[in-house]
Amino acid sequence: MISATLFPGRYVQGSGALSRLGKELARLGARHILISSPFPLERLLPPLLPELEQAVTLRVERFGGECTDQEIERLLATVQDFQAEAVTAMGGGKTLDAAKAVAARAGIPAAMVPTIASTDAPCSSVCIIYSPEGIFQRADLLPRNPDLVLVDTEVMAQAPARFLASGMGDALATWFEAESCRISRGRNIAGDVGSMTAHALARLCYETVRDWGPSALTACEAGVVTSALERVVEANTLLSGLGFESGGLAAAHSIHNGLTALPGVRGLYHGEKVAFGVLASLFLTDKPLAIMDEVYGVCGALGLPTTLAALGLDGVSDAELLRVAEKACAPEESIHNEPVDISPRLVLSALKAADAEGRRRNRHCTEWSSSKK
Ligand SMILES: [Zn+2]
């Protein structure tokens, strides 16, 4: 059996790390296209430009907002026209994914500068393609991972705390899914089994979110960088990326994909839906109470949804939930990496049990706090 572990070329993180960007980009090539989301284009980039332009020849391009085939074509034409030697992306997951795809098509290095910690897109070789209307089309596997990932934690601390919490929801899934793959010998993104490195990193990812998640969220709410925030940003961005890509995915992400069948969840971020997928997977895989307590406790402390109502699905019918379960159990879904029997009926039961458990815990919390008054 052959294992494969996928890494980005270099990961740079810290408070003020953007001051290193020019030097890091110069290593990758002399001519750069920098694709940026609107927020960093207007707020982060202007003070950086003089230094960047001293380090490399730069052309800045505004990202069109959706990672579509058309947008990738448009950006690729710009890269070719400019004869760029590398592509840099600044922004959220879709901007980064588009830049990775453009760099892969052009056969040049890619540098990622995420501005929110809600996604593990920066380190991975996966690119999610959407339709112009924003509907998921497919996940492309690119031939290589980004050459540079540079994360300024000051920028992360200034971003809304909900992004960080959502990233932790996604990071929370990493170990549970990698562990299921380890037991079942399920395949990772490369189509191989995960290495012991991937499993150890996935475990570290979980422990970091569990032990430092709430205090990192507090720091983010205060807009400041603390050691806890540094740890959690690394868990959300590097460990979660390495863990899912090399450790493998399982039920939590399939349940996320299933949930997207219902319009009620549209306002939620990826990691918020994944977190509920983790809770359902605890029932699906028959986890003991100590683990349940831990995960429900973390989700509660981070404000991640633990009930269907919190997912925007108040009053959802069994028929609708069965649609979610059926979509989660599609043949290509990673849920089949779970080392247990999988069927839409079992997933439906797990969804309902996870919701009932969330409601029970919320009720007890309320009863407990009102009895204290
Ligand atoms: Zn994810």
Side-chain angles (χ1 to χ4, degrees):
M1 195 147 291
I2 295 173
S3 80
T5 317
L6 290 72
F7 299 95
R10 183 182 288 206
Y11 182 83
V12 179
Q13 180 189 306
S15 178
L18 275 176
S19 63
R20 284 266 295 272
L21 186 59
K23 202 171 129 205
E24 291 293 339
L25 293 189
R27 285 192 311 108
L28 301 177
R31 295 175 68 80
H32 279 251
I33 290 276
L34 192 157
I35 300 165
S36 178
S37 307
F39 170 75
L41 188 66
E42 281 141 33
R43 304 286 291 278
L44 294 179
L45 210 48
L48 292 174
L49 274 179
E51 209 183 308
L52 287 181
E53 281 167 343
Q54 264 194 352
V56 295
T57 307
L58 194 68
R59 173 157 160 190
V60 179
E61 196 64 36
R62 178 187 280 260
F63 177 56
E66 205 59 80
C67 184
T68 61
D69 284 318
Q70 295 87 328
E71 177 67 359
I72 291 165
E73 282 297 333
R74 181 185 76 82
L75 293 167
L76 182 63
T78 312
V79 161
Q80 286 162 344
D81 174 59
F82 185 65
Q83 296 182 321
E85 293 170 10
V87 178
T88 302
M90 205 178 253
K94 289 181 178 182
T95 312
L96 270 46
D97 271 9
K100 285 191 284 186
V102 170
R105 294 270 297 275
I108 54 180
M112 303 286 112
V113 186
T115 52
I116 48 176
S118 65
T119 164
D120 46 25
C123 295
S124 89
S125 61
V126 181
C127 169
I128 308 291
I129 306 286
Y130 294 86
S131 72
E133 296 74 36
I135 298 164
F136 170 86
Q137 299 290 298
R138 59 180 200 276
D140 284 351
L141 301 181
L142 304 173
R144 63 197 244 202
N145 293 60
D147 299 84
L148 167 72
V149 179
L150 185 138
V151 185
D152 191 326
T153 39
E154 247 170 72
V155 174
M156 301 294 171
Q158 297 297 323
R162 189 177 160 196
F163 287 130
L164 189 76
S166 169
M168 286 193 267
D170 201 18
L172 204 55
T174 306
W175 178 69
F176 289 98
E177 297 187 288
E179 179 64 1
S180 290
C181 288
R182 187 186 66 77
I183 295 166
S184 68
R185 301 218 152 201
R187 301 302 156 134
N188 64 15
I189 298 296
D192 294 304
V193 293
S195 59
M196 67 174 186
T197 305
H199 291 118
L201 294 178
R203 182 68 200 176
L204 180 61
C205 183
Y206 174 64
E207 289 171 357
T208 304
V209 170
R210 182 193 64 191
D211 297 344
W212 281 281
S215 45
L217 195 63
T218 304
C220 192
E221 278 162 357
V224 296
V225 178
T226 59
S227 301
L229 184 87
E230 290 278 6
R231 285 174 191 269
V232 164
V233 168
E234 185 179 332
N236 283 10
T237 314
L238 180 62
L239 295 175
S240 182
L242 289 166
F244 99 80
E245 193 166 40
S246 295
L249 294 173
H253 274 81
S254 292
I255 290 170
H256 162 279
N257 296 345
L259 284 168
T260 62
L262 302 181
V265 303
R266 291 251 159 94
L268 290 177
Y269 296 145
H270 173 78
E272 294 171 331
K273 288 170 274 176
V274 171
F276 194 78
V278 175
L279 297 178
S281 80
L282 299 178
F283 287 91
L284 200 61
T285 57
D286 200 25
K287 291 287 188 290
L289 184 62
I291 303 270
M292 294 261 180
D293 282 342
E294 221 170 75
V295 182
Y296 272 91
V298 172
C299 288
L302 299 178
L304 291 166
T306 60
T307 63
L308 290 167
L311 277 173
L313 300 177
D314 204 8
V316 66
S317 69
D318 277 12
E320 286 173 305
L321 284 181
L322 189 59
R323 257 175 51 218
V324 170
E326 279 166 352
K327 190 165 161 59
C329 293
E332 69 280 9
E333 279 295 339
S334 54
I335 199 167
H336 303 291
N337 281 339
E338 292 293 349
V340 294
D341 287 342
I342 292 295
S343 73
R345 282 276 155 203
L346 290 169
V347 174
L348 172 68
S349 302
L351 287 167
K352 293 185 73 168
D355 169 59
E357 183 66 13
R359 282 184 287 119
R360 186 181 71 77
R361 285 172 190 261
N362 286 350
R363 209 161 51 234
H364 284 196
C365 270
T366 331
E367 279 164 16
W368 182 75
S369 58
S370 57
S371 72
K372 278 208 316 184
K373 282 178 191 149

